[in-house]
Amino acid sequence: MDESELLPIRNFLAEIAPFNELPSELLEECCRSLSIGYYSKMSGAVPLSSENPMLYIVRSGAFEVRNAEGELVDRLGAGDYFGFPSLMSGESISNKVLILEDGLVYHLTLALFDKLRAGSRAFDRFFNRAYAKRLRHQDAQHQRELLTANRISSLMVMAPVSVDHHTPVSDAAKLMRQHRVSSALVVNNQQLVGILTDRDLRNRVLAEELGGHVPVSQAMTSAPVTIDANALVFEAMLQMSQHNIHHLPVLDNGQPVGMVTSTDIIRSQSSQPILLIGEIERQQDVASLIHVSKQIPLLLQNLISADARAEEIGRILTSVTDALTRRLIQLNQALLGEPPIAFCWLAFGSQGRQDQMACSDQDNGLLLAEEPDSSATAYFDALTHAVCSGLNDCGYVFCPGDIMAQNPAWRMSLENWQQKFSNWVNTPDPKALMHASIFFDMRCVFGPAPLFAALQDKVLADTQDNDIFLAALTGNALSESPPLGFFRQFVLERDGSEEKGIDLKHRGSVLINDIARVYALSSGLKEVNTAKRIRVLIANGILTRKDGLNLADALEFIAHMRLANQGRQYENREALSNYLRPQALSSLMRHQLRDAFKVVHDAQAALKLKFMRSF
């Protein structure tokens, strides 16, 4: 290799960790000894040999590492590595490296890799940590399954007993006895129309003194509550608790594929989130609820320790908040009496998106079915003040901007909410755009779904393909940028203390939320969780698979860093914040964090190009 070929290799390696830590003579030997491979996407995967393991340094292109089960382990770009686990452990290679984009890769032999480790403590430490992280990832996978990621499909009864809706109840009962089950699905032309349970037979047939000849359709529970096969187990538990039921038909693409019962769930696990939510729903007064809520910081800490995915932690914490909110409403309704008109309790912001973390404040409102009279106004004033105060006492502090249901400004009839959103969309001034980042991520926590749907449908109809509003919203989303300087160094800010840090929330997670929101509103998506929004945007072809996956990975990585940082602060009894001090990061973590911010930067540029080109 002559000098003209060596120069770009030397320049590249000298800028990436941990080669930038090597003594100059070792770096020079490395550059002269490595070999170069070109990998085409057409070939599918990088050929790896356990007989001749090597360190692979990605110079260009994109790759995915997947384990033997096909699960994603890592996604790699320029400056990333693969192959080191087998070099470190001496074990056979089990992962596959798929080629997403054509690329150049530098190869280092085992002998040279060992020599560099022996010659540089920093180099050795870097790969030891990278290997340890890979091992933790494998262990965390198992832990997550135990704690949170068990899905309904893993425990449901496949091919459940089902009967046609014309079947006599006596025949259905015999079938249930034959299969020793307490329920059966009722179908009509393979579509689920109901569920027949022991309780239905007791209450609607025997107690009514009906004969066994009556059709199942007369005794069944029509339009039963169902759950998707991909739902988490704890979400099924929530459904059962909310609706006071013990059987959930499981659907896949709208087709009945199984049945899950409360017995199945109790038998399968008893993880903390479920227990905590169950405890919340059993409390009979506000003081007891406040006492139970003291367990939430420990729950968060346990989830962080188990290395659960940030997305799952957000959903679990939000489920706890939702349960507290609903129980507070129920307890106060018991004191105040039945509501004079139908209403929905709306969650905005992080609770709406289901991505709550520590330090979450309240963002909520009340949607009324009609304009309240003075008596109804007094009722809802008392109810909302009691619920918001209860949430504050449970650790969800009052919103500094007073965006709460107890504020009459955010307690309106359907017609007035629709008019309010229309005004924001049609006159997107700075205040309206500020509200967009909160109010447009809304979800119904309590109340009739059709009432909420009437509001959401109107909002999406106003925003979809509304070029002027979307351009203004994009401009607002670009008002902040990731904390990277011209030379990719971190831009640090003060969090009110003397030390500077990286604001992971406002310079990271919030920016990705903003990007996903613009795309979602432009295409009329009802989903409000950012990770789910990105998945739907990919599925609908609005984001390319590559850009969408990169953005999803950046969202998860930044949120994970934020949670891990808060976990350390909690252990050290420090005030929890969103600021990360870069000196607490390893070289590898700094490298990955820069890459995540770079993805956000590129996504902002793409957003600007798409929605502000004409303005």
Side-chain angles (χ1 to χ4, degrees), residues 200-211 214 218-219:
D200 294 328
L201 293 171
R202 183 174 65 247
N203 295 341
R204 295 175 178 165
V205 180
L206 295 177
E208 297 295 328
E209 298 183 349
L210 297 178
V214 299
Q218 198 171 327

Side-chain angles (χ1 to χ4, degrees), residues 8-317:
I9 298 173
R10 190 185 297 123
N11 290 343
F12 176 73
L13 292 182
E15 290 188 356
I16 62 171
F19 289 87
N20 57 356
E21 306 268 5
L22 288 175
S24 57
E25 66 276 11
L26 274 180
L27 178 62
E28 187 65 23
E29 181 180 353
C30 174
C31 294
R32 291 183 179 279
S33 304
L34 58 76
S35 59
I36 304 174
Y38 172 77
Y39 296 98
S40 167
K41 183 180 178 181
M42 297 291 291
S43 56
V46 177
L48 302 174
S49 168
S50 297
E51 306 302 321
N52 183 29
M54 293 190 286
L55 177 70
Y56 298 80
I57 310 165
V58 179
R59 179 67 177 88
S60 64
F63 301 83
E64 273 186 358
V65 182
R66 292 190 175 271
N67 64 20
E69 288 73 40
E71 296 168 338
L72 179 65
V73 175
D74 208 349
R75 190 168 289 119
L76 309 173
D80 293 327
Y81 311 95
F82 59 92
F84 58 86
S86 58
L87 293 177
M88 305 285 289
S89 66
E91 295 179 354
S92 298
I93 298 169
S94 57
N95 290 341
K96 286 186 177 179
V97 179
L98 306 180
I99 307 167
L100 303 181
E101 292 179 3
D102 297 355
L104 285 178
V105 176
Y106 297 150
H107 306 152
L108 261 65
T109 63
L110 172 61
L112 181 57
F113 181 70
D114 286 343
K115 185 173 184 178
L116 297 182
R117 288 178 63 196
S120 168
R121 186 176 178 185
F123 187 93
D124 183 51
R125 187 188 305 125
F126 180 95
F127 282 104
N128 271 315
R129 288 178 175 172
Y131 182 53
K133 182 188 175 191
R134 184 68 61 82
L135 292 177
R136 284 198 302 273
H137 175 86
Q138 292 172 356
D139 183 59
Q141 189 78 14
H142 177 64
Q143 291 296 324
R144 285 200 300 273
E145 289 173 0
L146 289 177
L147 275 173
T148 62
N150 271 357
R151 297 188 182 277
I152 286 301
S153 54
S154 69
L155 59 87
M156 70 179 182
V157 175
M158 303 289 288
V161 173
S162 64
V163 295
D164 185 85
H165 68 302
H166 291 309
T167 304
V169 290
S170 58
D171 290 352
K174 290 174 184 172
L175 196 60
M176 290 165 60
R177 184 182 63 183
Q178 178 186 342
H179 290 272
R180 305 179 67 180
V181 296
S182 59
S183 63
L185 299 178
V186 183
V187 297
N188 180 12
N189 291 326
Q190 299 185 330
Q191 296 296 314
L192 181 71
V193 295
I195 180 175
L196 184 70
T197 67
D198 283 349
R199 185 162 64 176
D200 294 328
L201 293 171
R202 183 174 65 247
N203 295 341
R204 295 175 178 165
V205 180
L206 295 177
E208 297 295 328
E209 298 183 349
L210 297 178
H213 63 281
V214 299
V216 163
S217 58
Q218 198 171 327
M220 69 182 186
T221 298
S222 302
V225 177
T226 62
I227 194 160
D228 189 85
N230 286 321
L232 299 175
V233 171
F234 86 90
E235 291 174 319
M237 197 72 175
L238 280 178
Q239 290 271 42
M240 291 181 180
S241 178
Q242 288 171 23
H243 298 283
N244 190 28
I245 55 179
H246 301 283
H247 303 79
L248 272 178
V250 183
L251 304 184
D252 187 8
N253 291 323
Q255 297 295 310
V257 294
M259 176 80 83
V260 65
T261 68
S262 55
T263 304
D264 297 330
I265 293 176
I266 292 170
R267 191 183 297 131
S268 69
Q269 65 167 290
S270 56
S271 60
Q272 283 194 15
I274 296 171
L275 294 177
L276 180 57
I277 290 170
E279 201 171 348
I280 287 169
E281 292 171 348
R282 286 193 297 273
Q283 302 311 306
Q284 297 301 315
D285 55 62
V286 175
S288 301
L289 268 185
I290 295 169
H291 179 72
V292 171
S293 71
K294 304 301 181 191
Q295 301 176 43
I296 297 173
L298 182 60
L299 168 65
L300 172 60
Q301 187 62 17
N302 287 341
L303 291 168
I304 293 173
S305 300
D307 208 15
R309 286 176 55 82
E311 180 189 351
E312 291 163 356
I313 292 178
R315 287 166 64 185
I316 290 170
L317 290 184

Side-chain angles (χ1 to χ4, degrees), residues 584-596:
L585 296 175
S586 67
S587 172
L588 176 64
M589 299 297 273
R590 283 199 293 271
H591 178 74
Q592 291 176 320
L593 187 57
R594 284 194 186 94
D595 284 350

Side-chain angles (χ1 to χ4, degrees), residues 359-505:
C359 321
S360 294
D361 61 0
Q362 296 183 46
D363 285 313
N364 49 53
L366 206 71
L367 167 62
L368 302 173
E370 57 191 68
E371 197 63 31
D373 58 19
S374 57
S375 173
T377 298
Y379 176 93
F380 288 114
D381 186 68
L383 177 68
T384 54
H385 273 85
V387 174
C388 289
S389 295
L391 287 171
N392 183 65
D393 292 337
C394 288
Y396 305 91
V397 298
F398 289 130
C399 172
D402 206 17
I403 298 175
M404 291 180 289
Q406 67 180 17
N407 181 348
W410 309 123
R411 199 169 65 224
M412 292 181 280
S413 66
L414 173 63
E415 183 179 353
N416 285 343
W417 270 114
Q418 289 175 332
Q419 187 58 51
K420 177 70 75 177
F421 274 100
S422 291
N423 291 343
W424 288 335
V425 172
N426 296 324
T427 313
D429 57 28
K431 189 173 182 180
L433 295 172
M434 180 190 73
H435 284 152
S437 66
I438 301 173
F439 289 96
F440 284 80
D441 295 343
M442 61 177 172
R443 190 168 52 85
C444 177
V445 173
F446 183 95
L451 176 58
F452 174 71
L455 174 59
Q456 190 181 39
D457 290 346
K458 176 67 167 61
V459 171
L460 292 176
D462 286 347
T463 58
Q464 188 171 5
D465 298 326
N466 186 328
D467 293 341
I468 295 176
F469 171 71
L470 294 171
L473 199 61
T474 299
N476 188 61
L478 302 180
S479 60
E480 295 284 356
S481 58
L484 287 180
F486 188 76
F487 295 105
R488 295 191 71 193
Q489 78 279 19
F490 291 122
V491 176
L492 306 182
E493 300 169 89
R494 294 191 189 281
D495 63 346
S497 65
E498 289 301 313
E499 288 191 76
K500 292 182 176 179
I502 304 168
D503 186 346
L504 292 173
K505 179 180 178 182

Side-chain angles (χ1 to χ4, degrees), residues 533-545 547-549 552:
R533 273 175 167 168
I534 293 172
R535 287 196 284 271
V536 176
L537 291 169
I538 295 172
N540 291 351
I542 297 168
L543 286 179
T544 66
R545 177 176 169 78
D547 290 345
L549 290 177

